Amino acid sequence: MYDWFPDKEIIFAPTGLWPIEFDINWKWRILSDRRAEVMAWQYKGLPQLKNFCASNNIPFHYVEDGFIRSVSLGALQIPPMSLAFDRQDMYFNANGPTDLEAILSTFDFDGNADLMRRAQALIEQLLSAGLSKYNSSADAQIEEIYGPKTRKRILVIGQVERDASIAYGSREKHSNNDLVRLAYRENPGAQIIYKPHPEVLQGTAEAMSDPNSVRGICTVLEQ
């Protein structure tokens, strides 16, 4: 965070604070500094933190890894190259509005030609460089993995199944294997390709549903 805000004093509060600890040790520190801003990593802050900030006119943001994160995994404590900030809620929470949702729904993208040119240039740069969120895999020839393309292909992208995006992103909870089976049922005759989450592939996160259980209906990527 220091790299992101070099002009600010960054003070980290521990996760798992009890409400009484916040009342005794942190409220006065925040209220006594008129420059104070509060940022919470996902939902690891106290549930009442957002309301406390709103009641006292203190800027508040949720923070999460951005879409181009790092070279290697966040679980290995690699600093992120991008962060997502949202004043309303985490961008993946389907239960209420978020800043990202509002931007995508209301911003006049067609009216901002310069922004669209920059976006297109960035897309082309990402594609030409072969960048992904974690960039933890070695370069590979696609046909050596997928085989020649002779039919429709469906890519199923796995998530860490304990991730907050699973808990808040849908009313119905689906495992990765559920999604593979759904893709198989909805696309008869297609080649189903399943990419487990990089943290699962690297062993830093547990696979709660076993990819081996769906190998009979899909190609499971190993890197």
Side-chain angles (χ1 to χ4, degrees):
M1 295 295 286
Y2 299 105
D3 292 337
W4 287 88
F5 302 102
D7 58 332
K8 297 182 183 295
E9 179 186 9
I10 307 296
I11 300 174
F12 288 95
T15 58
L17 277 177
W18 289 89
I20 191 170
E21 291 181 275
F22 178 74
D23 290 343
I24 294 173
N25 298 323
W26 290 95
K27 269 188 178 180
W28 68 269
R29 296 183 68 176
I30 297 171
L31 293 172
S32 64
D33 190 339
R34 289 180 295 178
R35 304 167 302 167
E37 301 178 32
V38 174
M39 300 179 188
W41 190 266
Q42 289 191 8
Y43 298 119
K44 295 184 178 179
L46 291 171
Q48 63 266 39
L49 186 58
K50 181 180 177 182
N51 289 336
F52 163 77
C53 290
S55 299
N56 292 281
N57 296 314
I58 297 169
F60 175 87
H61 288 85
Y62 291 102
V63 187
E64 165 68 307
D65 287 332
F67 300 112
I68 301 296
R69 194 201 181 281
S70 53
V71 177
S72 198
L73 304 176
L76 302 178
Q77 305 299 313
I78 305 298
M81 297 297 293
S82 65
L83 293 172
F85 297 86
D86 203 299
R87 293 168 299 172
Q88 298 187 69
D89 214 323
M90 291 303 306
Y91 63 81
F92 51 70
N93 193 333
N95 298 306
T98 67
D99 290 351
L100 178 60
E101 182 181 10
I103 291 170
L104 295 176
S105 300
T106 64
F107 188 81
D108 181 14
F109 290 98
D110 291 335
N112 193 325
D114 180 61
L115 178 65
M116 298 304 289
R117 282 193 295 270
R118 290 172 56 203
Q120 185 60 44
L122 178 58
I123 291 171
E124 292 172 0
Q125 187 175 7
L126 293 175
L127 291 174
S128 64
L131 292 178
S132 65
K133 182 173 182 179
Y134 294 111
N135 307 286
S136 56
S137 299
D139 290 340
Q141 295 298 318
I142 293 299
E143 286 200 357
E144 293 180 5
I145 299 174
Y146 299 161
K149 184 174 182 180
T150 59
R151 51 188 169 138
K152 181 180 180 180
R153 282 175 170 164
I154 302 295
L155 175 63
V156 179
I157 301 175
Q159 175 59 290
V160 176
E161 289 163 307
R162 57 171 170 73
D163 193 83
S165 63
I166 301 295
Y168 294 95
S170 173
R171 290 191 183 96
E172 299 179 9
K173 302 301 182 288
H174 300 283
S175 71
N176 290 327
N177 285 0
D178 290 337
L179 295 182
V180 172
R181 295 185 182 104
L182 180 62
Y184 178 76
R185 290 196 304 270
E186 290 185 345
N187 299 274
Q191 180 186 12
I192 309 299
I193 300 167
Y194 170 35
K195 172 67 180 291
H197 192 278
E199 290 193 5
V200 172
L201 291 174
Q202 296 287 333
T204 58
E206 180 185 2
M208 298 177 68
S209 57
D210 185 358
N212 291 318
S213 299
V214 293
R215 284 187 184 274
I217 60 173
C218 71
T219 299
V220 180
L221 302 186
E222 305 287 354
Q223 60 174 318

